Amino acid sequence: MARRTPLLRQQIQRALRPHQTPRLLALGVLASLPVTPLQAAEQNMQWHCKPAGDSWACDEKPAPGPAYKRPPHSTPPPQSGPRSTRGLSAAEIDWVAEEDLTPEQLAAMPAGCCGSYIAPERSDSEATLDPEAAPLRAEADSSRWLQQNTAVLQGDVKLTQGYRQLQADRAELDKASNTGTLSGNILLREPGVLITSERAAMDMDTGAAELEDASYLLHEAHLRGASARVQMTPEKVLTLEDGSFTRCEPDGNAWSLHSAELTLDPNIGEGWGKHVRLHVAGVPVFYTPYLRFPIGDQRKSGFLFPSISSSDNGGVDLSVPYYLNLAPNYDMTLTPRFISDRGEMLETELRHMSTHFDTVVSAAWLADDSGGDDQDLEDLIDDGVITEEEAYPFRGQDRWLLGVEQQGGRQARWFTEIDYTAVSDVDYFRDLGTTSLEVNSTSQLKKYGTAGYRGEHWLLQAEATEYQKLWDDAEQQYKQLPRLTLDGHYRMPSDFELQLDHDFTAFDHRDKDRDGLITGERLRVDYALTWDQRWMWGFFRPGVKLKHLSYSLDDEYLQAGANDTPSFTVPQGSLDTGLFFEREGDLFGNGYVQTFEPRLFYFYSDRENQDELINVGTGRLRTVDFDTNDLTFGYSQLFRDSRFSGSDRIDDDNRLSVGLTSRFIDSSTGIERLSASVGQVFYHDDRAIAIDLTEAQALAQAENQRSNSDYAAQISARLGKYLRFNSEVMWDADNSDRVSRGNVSLRYLDEQYRIFNLSYRYDRIPPLPSDPTDLDGDGILNEEIEQSIEQGDFSFVWPIAGDWNAIGRANYDFTHQRELETLIGVEYNDCCYRVRLVARKWLDNANANVLESLDLEEDRGIFLEFQLKGMGSIGSKVSGILSDGIVGYEQRDNGIQ
């Protein structure tokens, strides 16, 4: 609830301490007031003061001779600003245009602004003193006694007490209560706060003040506003009657918040108000009887700014989050959500931080989903293309999400990690979460948990992993419940390294009974001894390994006679060596160092027949292949000791990898300007070990008979301070014109967060038959489905005029001649608000990147995000779409807040 501050005059009377030693009495101030030369000439009088109990005894006495000209203070009172500030608001007084800011101030200027609020600097010795510990210094054009305890200062009055400064046309200082009343062109300044007013009352001890017809400025929060009456507590909490505030620049009023009673507390970074109205361009657009809102980074319980959006299959989507700051180390956000075409929903997030654990728990619940209302689907239903059940498969169902993230063991040898997310159905994220293309192409949700201990030489870890499909036709992965690893590493004398790795995993599958899948347990042991010799001019690393693989398979779905405890042990040897050469040169007047780095990697692995793992099952997956796949070939694979990911196979190999890298390094900065590498593998024997022996693996088997690999090359370059170029290409060694796979990208991101991305990727993949039984008279397939991937991606965020930026992306599939995603939009970002308007078209299908024969659904939408700086945003899905689709956008978004 909002805290109602009592009237200031009553508060001042309660706050006064009658027995306090009068260090700051107004009458004592008058003893140091400068007297104008004209007055001195006429009266030839001087003040004489001496302590008298709890007060000062002062009177005027004639002085012989001419009036004494008072010397200046040893520390002259600072000036609060020229009198040209008369009639200006607090924001106008301290506003400094962008061209007048120092480099440091310019770096701290809020994004989109053309200036910043800068308080005048003070260099005097009392500038940082607490007012209660500092003397009160005064200046005025004239002064007089109104009563025995009241002094009146008139004309350009300036009062300074420590870090507090006051200006006014007239001031009355009451000696008894140590309070002051001021009028006319009042300016009150404290660190981080500036208030202007026409009438004010102030407690000179505590700094509590009441000001009428006021304008105010909070520098750090970048907030300004006005009020018929402002009450300021000693803690600088402002209570505004009939007040307003905004983060806009002094000459802008794009939005403002108005309230009958508004409280701003910069100490906790929060404000709250009663009968709050949001004005946009001066027009009221939103009302709430009560609202809490942030004005800084501090956490405080209360309603957060609501979010509203609209979509084709959900209708109007309204969320009103409520934040609970339960304790310094944990909090919760509850978000009631109404989706007009689906129903009521509740989302929550609980965050907890302790000495050893950081935990986030998320949950969401939608009861009895109404299913949405998509007009395109309704047309298909009317045409009889699909049924209503097919169009709305989750209508009438409860839909939910549960997520847990935890990191444990901060600065400790033991550690834990949990990354668990579960949803009610495969379309949860597409229907109720974000609609980005990245989420649409995610096929599995990983549910992972681990706990372990890091010793000096050993790492002990226990893991559990499970997956949830997000595509109906995706292949469900095996569970790993549990996986136990024990890895040892020793650095021995004479630079010998000993690696002792142990891995035990139990594999299970939720569909094992339905599909007759093989399950069981696997033990993998890898021991390695390496002599690691490194010098400035090169390195030499010979090593020997022993790899052991054994299983205990459940025989329920094994073929008759299949071995349920296959076991394999394979010795291996390797030699990794390279040289470093350098030469200095000069290019376009810039010195550089060029390196020449040849590298050889020889690897030998004995062949042990592992056919006992292939075609031994009775179900859909007949091969023992729990977590293993062929690695995609590239330059980084030249120097690996396995061509497989996972642990279900041990290589047979006899090969030599040759690589060459050259780098160009700027001599003055040490920045690597260019790096280029090329290499190839030469095989001395055919490879017999494979994951599968089905027809689909025929090409892979042929690949294992080659005597050399494709050429692999990669290039990275810094073409300027902000421009990056990267490329990786693989091409056929027997046909240099035939590119097997490649990608190239050009990325630009500068300090002004201008973005330009251009990329292209190609992957040659053999086509799939549309129907293997459909052959013509020559035994040739009538139709094939092209699988090769050839895509281009272009995106940008670029200023077009003033604070306007253009946003765009085009992701095109050249293989099937179709658009994967196209969006174009504009962004307006100034000092107080930001608007993004994006029109988007995309293929809403998880397999859109691969198969042409699928019935792909093309979605269109217009997305709007309206963000009030310092308040909140409407339509936050736009940020997710742009962050997923445009490389560098998330970095830009974080940088311009």
Side-chain angles (χ1 to χ4, degrees):
M1 299 294 294
R3 292 180 294 175
R4 184 174 180 86
T5 305
L7 293 177
L8 184 65
R9 299 184 191 279
Q10 300 174 9
Q11 182 179 350
I12 289 175
Q13 295 299 325
R14 295 191 187 101
L16 292 179
R17 291 163 289 186
H19 301 293
Q20 179 186 14
T21 302
R23 294 174 296 174
L24 306 175
L25 293 179
L27 201 56
V29 173
L30 294 179
S32 62
L33 286 176
V35 182
T36 62
L38 179 61
Q39 292 173 319
E42 294 176 349
Q43 299 176 4
N44 194 20
M45 303 287 289
Q46 292 185 2
W47 283 95
H48 292 263
C49 298
K50 60 181 179 179
D54 289 341
S55 181
W56 289 83
C58 299
D59 59 352
E60 290 183 297
K61 294 183 179 180
Y68 175 72
K69 184 177 181 180
R70 184 180 302 277
H73 293 294
S74 58
T75 303
Q79 302 295 318
S80 297
R83 297 312 290 173
S84 60
T85 59
R86 179 180 295 274
L88 298 180
S89 67
E92 292 172 315
I93 293 173
D94 276 2
W95 179 257
V96 179
E98 181 177 1
E99 57 270 18
D100 297 326
L101 295 174
T102 66
E104 294 77 13
Q105 294 168 343
L106 196 62
M109 184 180 71
C113 295
C114 58
S116 192
Y117 295 115
I118 306 296
E121 293 186 6
R122 290 177 54 185
S123 57
D124 57 281
S125 59
E126 299 175 4
T128 60
L129 292 180
D130 189 285
E132 293 188 5
L136 176 63
R137 304 187 185 277
E139 290 184 11
D141 292 341
S142 64
S143 60
R144 60 187 176 89
W145 282 105
L146 183 64
Q147 297 175 355
Q148 180 180 359
N149 294 324
T150 304
V152 178
L153 311 179
Q154 286 185 305
D156 197 13
V157 178
K158 299 177 184 178
L159 304 176
T160 304
Q161 187 176 18
Y163 58 66
R164 183 181 301 138
Q165 297 173 279
L166 270 169
Q167 287 183 204
D169 291 339
R170 185 178 186 275
E172 292 185 10
L173 303 179
D174 190 311
K175 162 192 168 182
S177 62
N178 204 18
T179 61
T181 57
L182 303 95
S183 60
N185 195 36
I186 300 169
L187 190 151
L188 168 62
R189 185 185 296 281
E190 293 194 9
V193 179
L194 174 63
I195 303 178
T196 66
S197 175
E198 288 301 315
R199 292 171 299 280
M202 187 172 186
D203 184 339
M204 306 305 293
D205 283 335
T206 66
E210 183 179 281
L211 307 99
E212 298 180 4
D213 297 329
S215 71
Y216 66 90
L217 170 66
L218 303 179
H219 297 77
E220 185 175 351
H222 215 259
L223 291 180
R224 65 174 180 87
S227 176
R229 176 173 295 174
V230 175
Q231 297 182 23
M232 184 176 75
T233 69
E235 295 78 22
K236 303 178 188 177
V237 178
L238 303 182
T239 300
L240 318 178
E241 295 182 19
D242 191 17
S244 65
F245 88 87
T246 181
R247 278 196 62 178
C248 297
E249 296 171 325
D251 58 350
N253 286 290
W255 72 269
S256 57
L257 210 62
H258 298 254
S259 176
E261 182 179 301
L262 197 65
T263 302
L264 305 176
D265 190 344
N267 303 296
I268 62 174
E270 188 182 43
W272 55 92
K274 296 180 179 180
H275 302 293
V276 179
R277 307 176 307 278
L278 173 63
H279 290 210
V280 176
V283 178
V285 297
F286 176 78
Y287 167 82
T288 179
Y290 180 78
L291 181 68
R292 300 180 81 98
F293 48 88
I295 60 173
D297 298 331
Q298 294 91 340
R299 301 181 293 120
K300 190 69 176 180
S301 297
F303 282 103
L304 303 179
F305 204 78
S307 173
I308 185 169
S309 62
S310 179
S311 62
D312 289 340
N313 65 351
V316 176
D317 188 342
L318 175 64
S319 301
V320 184
Y322 187 85
Y323 175 76
L324 295 96
N325 184 26
L326 303 175
N329 65 321
Y330 60 92
D331 57 18
M332 175 185 287
T333 303
L334 292 173
T335 306
R337 183 177 172 188
F338 173 74
I339 309 173
S340 60
D341 293 338
R342 293 191 178 276
E344 296 80 19
M345 187 175 184
L346 179 64
E347 299 175 331
T348 182
E349 180 185 77
L350 174 65
R351 302 186 302 177
H352 180 269
M353 179 179 291
S354 67
T355 305
H356 301 295
F357 296 96
D358 296 339
T359 308
V360 179
V361 179
S362 305
W365 177 264
L366 171 64
D368 191 17
D369 184 6
S370 299
D373 185 13
D374 192 324
Q375 188 57 49
D376 292 337
L377 294 178
E378 292 294 331
D379 293 340
L380 293 175
I381 294 173
D382 294 340
D383 295 339
V385 177
I386 59 176
T387 66
E388 185 172 345
E389 290 75 16
E390 292 172 332
Y392 305 107
F394 303 106
R395 178 170 287 176
Q397 296 187 20
D398 297 337
R399 309 184 73 178
W400 52 267
L401 174 146
L402 177 63
V404 179
E405 296 181 22
Q406 186 186 81
Q407 296 283 340
R410 187 187 302 112
Q411 298 179 350
R413 287 192 174 274
W414 63 269
F415 62 92
T416 62
E417 180 182 356
I418 299 175
D419 185 358
Y420 178 93
T421 303
V423 292
S424 57
D425 54 80
V426 295
D427 284 336
Y428 179 90
F429 291 111
R430 282 186 282 273
D431 290 344
L432 302 173
T434 179
T435 58
S436 72
L437 197 64
E438 179 178 317
V439 171
N440 278 348
S441 61
T442 301
S443 63
Q444 305 273 352
L445 272 180
K446 185 177 181 180
K447 307 171 184 180
Y448 172 81
T450 184
Y453 182 83
R454 306 180 187 92
E456 182 178 357
H457 298 288
W458 290 91
L459 172 64
L460 174 63
Q461 191 167 351
E463 305 175 29
T465 305
E466 188 178 3
Y467 298 87
Q468 179 180 359
K469 295 193 305 181
L470 294 182
W471 300 351
D472 284 329
D473 56 350
E475 183 175 310
Q476 182 70 49
Q477 297 188 41
Y478 277 89
K479 306 176 186 178
Q480 300 180 18
L481 300 172
R483 180 181 181 185
L484 305 176
T485 59
L486 179 62
D487 297 339
H489 181 268
Y490 289 88
R491 184 83 179 189
M492 299 186 297
S494 303
D495 295 321
F496 280 98
E497 288 186 358
L498 178 63
Q499 190 75 31
L500 306 172
D501 296 341
H502 309 79
D503 185 317
F504 173 83
T505 309
F507 292 94
D508 201 356
H509 202 288
R510 65 174 58 190
D511 301 327
K512 69 176 181 179
D513 294 328
R514 186 193 68 182
D515 297 334
L517 303 180
I518 301 173
T519 57
E521 300 169 350
R522 183 188 69 199
L523 174 65
R524 178 73 180 253
V525 178
D526 293 350
Y527 291 165
L529 180 64
T530 305
W531 188 40
D532 186 14
Q533 294 295 302
R534 299 176 183 271
W535 306 276
M536 293 289 293
W537 48 267
F539 62 93
F540 184 74
R541 288 176 49 88
V544 293
K545 294 184 178 181
L546 185 68
K547 294 185 178 180
H548 174 78
L549 179 63
S550 62
Y551 293 86
S552 176
L553 303 175
D554 300 330
D555 58 7
E556 184 176 3
Y557 298 110
L558 287 177
Q559 292 180 5
N563 185 4
D564 62 355
T565 58
S567 179
F568 317 97
T569 302
V570 178
Q572 296 178 342
S574 66
L575 174 61
D576 191 5
T577 185
L579 298 173
F580 303 133
F581 299 94
E582 292 183 357
R583 73 180 185 93
E584 296 181 353
D586 186 87
L587 184 64
F588 303 119
N590 296 321
Y592 68 88
V593 174
Q594 180 189 5
T595 69
F596 184 78
E597 305 171 25
R599 182 177 181 182
L600 298 175
F601 178 74
Y602 176 76
F603 177 68
Y604 176 83
S605 181
D606 201 7
R607 178 182 300 174
E608 182 169 350
N609 191 318
Q610 299 170 38
D611 290 347
E612 290 181 321
L613 302 178
I614 299 175
N615 295 332
V616 295
T618 60
R620 180 172 57 86
L621 298 177
R622 305 172 61 193
T623 300
V624 179
D625 175 18
F626 295 138
D627 64 354
T628 303
N629 285 296
D630 291 299
L631 289 170
T632 301
F633 180 73
Y635 185 82
S636 60
Q637 305 304 323
L638 294 179
F639 311 106
R640 287 179 58 96
D641 62 359
S642 179
R643 58 184 182 271
F644 303 111
S645 66
S647 301
D648 286 311
R649 300 290 183 274
I650 301 178
D651 299 65
D652 62 323
D653 220 334
N654 184 8
R655 62 181 169 92
L656 176 67
S657 299
V658 180
L660 175 63
T661 298
S662 183
R663 310 175 198 271
F664 288 81
I665 303 172
D666 192 308
S667 299
S668 59
T669 63
I671 296 175
E672 183 179 282
R673 295 295 181 183
L674 175 67
S675 174
S677 302
V678 64
Q680 188 181 22
V681 180
F682 298 94
Y683 300 103
H684 301 292
D685 294 316
D686 294 339
R687 280 76 59 210
I689 306 301
I691 297 176
D692 202 351
L693 293 179
T694 62
E695 292 184 5
Q697 297 294 322
L699 181 66
Q701 291 299 311
E703 190 75 16
N704 287 343
Q705 314 308 315
R706 295 181 56 174
S707 61
N708 51 33
S709 70
D710 288 347
Y711 291 109
Q714 61 182 18
I715 300 174
S716 63
R718 298 186 63 166
L719 303 180
K721 186 176 181 180
Y722 308 112
L723 190 60
R724 304 289 188 272
F725 173 84
N726 290 281
S727 179
E728 186 173 16
V729 178
M730 274 62 64
W731 69 94
D732 196 326
D734 300 325
N735 183 358
S736 59
D737 295 333
R738 180 183 173 92
V739 175
S740 304
R741 185 170 58 88
N743 62 76
V744 59
S745 65
L746 195 65
R747 313 286 189 201
Y748 180 89
L749 174 61
D750 61 19
E751 294 174 347
Q752 297 177 334
Y753 296 105
R754 296 177 294 184
I755 296 175
F756 176 89
N757 299 308
L758 181 63
S759 64
Y760 170 85
R761 71 180 182 122
Y762 174 79
D763 194 357
R764 186 186 301 278
I765 304 174
L768 285 177
S770 59
D771 185 354
T773 64
D774 185 16
L775 304 177
D776 61 17
D778 296 329
I780 301 176
L781 293 172
N782 286 332
E783 184 182 354
E784 293 180 335
I785 298 177
E786 182 61 54
Q787 290 196 103
S788 293
I789 298 174
E790 185 178 7
Q791 296 177 2
D793 199 343
F794 168 66
S795 61
F796 65 89
V797 181
W798 208 262
I800 49 179
D803 294 322
W804 289 91
N805 295 285
I807 303 172
R809 185 195 185 194
N811 188 7
Y812 190 79
D813 181 3
F814 295 101
T815 303
H816 302 121
Q817 298 181 356
R818 62 190 177 186
E819 297 176 57
L820 297 175
E821 181 179 29
T822 303
L823 67 85
I824 188 70
V826 293
E827 175 191 71
Y828 181 82
N829 183 41
D830 75 357
C831 202
C832 63
Y833 73 98
R834 177 166 59 179
V835 178
R836 298 186 184 112
L837 179 64
V838 174
R840 178 173 177 248
K841 180 172 66 176
W842 73 101
L843 293 180
D844 188 12
N845 191 286
N847 296 317
N849 292 334
V850 182
L851 299 181
E852 182 183 32
S853 63
L854 294 172
D855 184 12
L856 303 178
E857 180 183 348
E858 187 177 81
D859 284 352
R860 291 178 173 88
I862 295 178
F863 302 85
L864 174 67
E865 179 176 299
F866 182 55
Q867 179 185 1
L868 306 179
K869 299 290 185 70
M871 285 290 294
S873 63
I874 300 175
S876 57
K877 285 185 178 180
V878 178
S879 298
I881 292 171
L882 298 178
S883 296
D884 289 343
I886 300 178
V887 176
Y889 192 86
E890 185 173 5
Q891 179 182 350
R892 173 188 185 271
D893 217 23
N894 294 333
I896 64 174
Q897 294 296 330

